[in-house]
Amino acid sequence: MSDLNAITVFLAVADLRSFRGAAERLGVTRSAVSQAIRRLESDLGLALLQRTTRSVNLTEAGQAFHARVAPAMTEIDVALAHARDREQTPRGLLRLAVSTIAESFLSGPLLAGFAERYPDVALEVTVTDQEFDITAQGYDAGVRLGEVIEKDMIAIPASPDQRQVAVAAPSYLAAHGAPEHPRDLAAHRCIGWRPVPGGAPYRWEFAEDGRAFDVEVEPEVTTNDIWLMVRLARAGAGITFGMEETFAPYIGRGELATVLERYCPAFPGFFLYYPNRRHLAPKLRALVDDVRRWQKTATG
């Protein structure tokens, strides 16, 4: 079966009536053009061109062949151009798995801006704290804290530096006082977070003199719902612990107050992560570019 390259060469020669001109158009040598034509004529068992030292013309068989293949090759060119355009235009379903505490990613302008810029991309965002293989589960990317991302993933910053803080309602602190050191939490009512049912409650993480340590509190209430923790803390049920940006609106309004500030340093925040692949789908490439632009703006 004749290959499409040889047919492309034939069409160039037929259009230009010149082997030299066809070679220049296609960016190959005259010898390569001659070999392609000989191979095509041999495959078909037909003489397609009449060649003299001064001219190149189509034979009757060449004219009939040209009349059939030229429109077909035009259709192929259109199909290829359409495929390339489709490959370059962000579209389709983009599935993301995002940590519940990635507040700056979930509630900021980044996702809204992306959705507006790329209306042909449908976003499916699963908010979850379960750790799993995003590739095996059919997700395009995820957003988590950097410390829990697999090493074989590509990760780019998707938030400013973060900080975890301990907070309580002013009414609770007025009634029970504020802990001076994380070890004092044992004497306080605490509201804890359990990422998955049946798992151990999250150990509250602090640092002192540059040394990280954690405290195993015994919560009076444990939940996997961050917003229940916030509501209970605002109601005076006890001290809770989580991302500062989650509590920021309530701290700003005086509904919650921070404690143990000196033991709560900043750390690298959330990262958008995705499989290490040579070619990214345009929809994911667009999100990666948006996140990089946003991070550059956010860090000044």
Side-chain angles (χ1 to χ4, degrees):
M1 181 176 179
S2 300
D3 62 75
L4 292 179
N5 286 333
I7 296 175
T8 300
V9 172
F10 164 74
L11 291 175
V13 174
D15 289 345
L16 299 171
R17 295 297 197 268
S18 168
F19 277 60
R20 183 190 299 275
E24 291 176 355
R25 173 188 285 184
L26 300 173
V28 297
T29 64
R30 286 186 63 186
S31 174
V33 171
S34 296
Q35 291 175 16
I37 295 299
R38 282 198 299 269
R39 185 170 66 250
L40 180 59
E41 290 180 326
S42 175
D43 288 345
L44 297 175
L46 296 170
L48 301 175
L49 299 168
Q50 291 177 336
R51 288 155 280 188
T52 69
T53 56
R54 295 185 177 182
S55 64
V56 176
N57 292 295
L58 295 174
T59 65
E60 184 178 353
Q63 292 174 356
F65 184 68
H66 182 274
R68 287 183 175 274
V69 298
M73 289 301 292
T74 298
E75 288 296 317
I76 290 174
D77 288 342
V78 169
L80 290 172
H82 178 74
R84 292 190 188 101
D85 178 67
R86 182 176 180 83
E87 182 59 25
Q88 293 169 3
T89 303
R91 55 164 49 89
L93 178 64
L94 183 63
R95 302 185 70 214
L96 305 176
V98 182
S99 172
T100 60
I101 55 176
E103 187 69 14
S104 57
F105 185 87
L106 289 170
S107 63
L110 196 155
L111 280 181
F114 178 83
E116 182 176 358
R117 275 186 292 278
Y118 302 103
D120 292 333
V121 177
L123 278 172
E124 180 185 308
V125 181
T126 299
V127 181
T128 177
D129 292 304
Q130 292 188 346
E131 295 181 25
F132 56 86
D133 183 340
I134 59 170
T135 304
Q137 297 297 319
Y139 287 89
D140 297 287
V143 177
R144 301 188 68 82
L145 292 173
E147 62 191 28
V148 295
I149 295 174
E150 296 86 346
K151 300 300 182 184
D152 60 346
M153 293 283 176
I154 294 177
I156 61 173
S159 80
D161 286 350
Q162 299 289 301
R163 199 163 73 105
Q164 292 200 100
V165 294
V167 298
S171 61
Y172 175 87
L173 297 176
H176 302 278
E180 297 294 327
H181 190 277
R183 62 173 168 263
D184 299 336
L185 289 167
H188 282 267
R189 297 164 60 188
C190 294
I191 305 161
W193 179 65
R194 189 191 309 271
V196 293
Y202 174 72
R203 296 171 69 96
W204 295 10
E205 299 177 89
F206 300 97
E208 185 175 16
D209 299 326
R211 180 183 62 86
F213 66 97
D214 56 53
V215 174
E216 184 179 1
V217 299
E218 295 185 5
E220 290 201 356
V221 179
T222 305
T223 179
N224 68 336
D225 186 345
I226 298 294
W227 301 111
L228 177 57
M229 294 166 56
V230 170
R231 289 193 292 269
L232 288 171
R234 290 168 61 203
I239 299 173
T240 194
F241 188 78
M243 304 304 291
E244 184 176 30
E245 66 179 12
T246 300
F247 302 130
Y250 311 101
I251 295 172
R253 294 195 295 265
E255 297 173 17
L256 292 173
T258 58
V259 297
L260 303 172
E261 280 273 353
R262 59 174 294 194
Y263 303 101
C264 301
F267 55 88
F270 296 94
F271 290 78
L272 173 72
Y273 68 101
Y274 51 91
N276 187 355
R277 292 173 178 160
R278 184 174 180 182
H279 298 291
L280 287 183
K283 59 186 178 181
L284 180 54
R285 169 57 62 193
L287 179 63
V288 169
D289 291 344
D290 259 25
V291 169
R292 284 182 169 147
R293 280 193 295 268
W294 177 87
Q295 181 68 0
K296 185 176 180 180
T297 301
T299 55

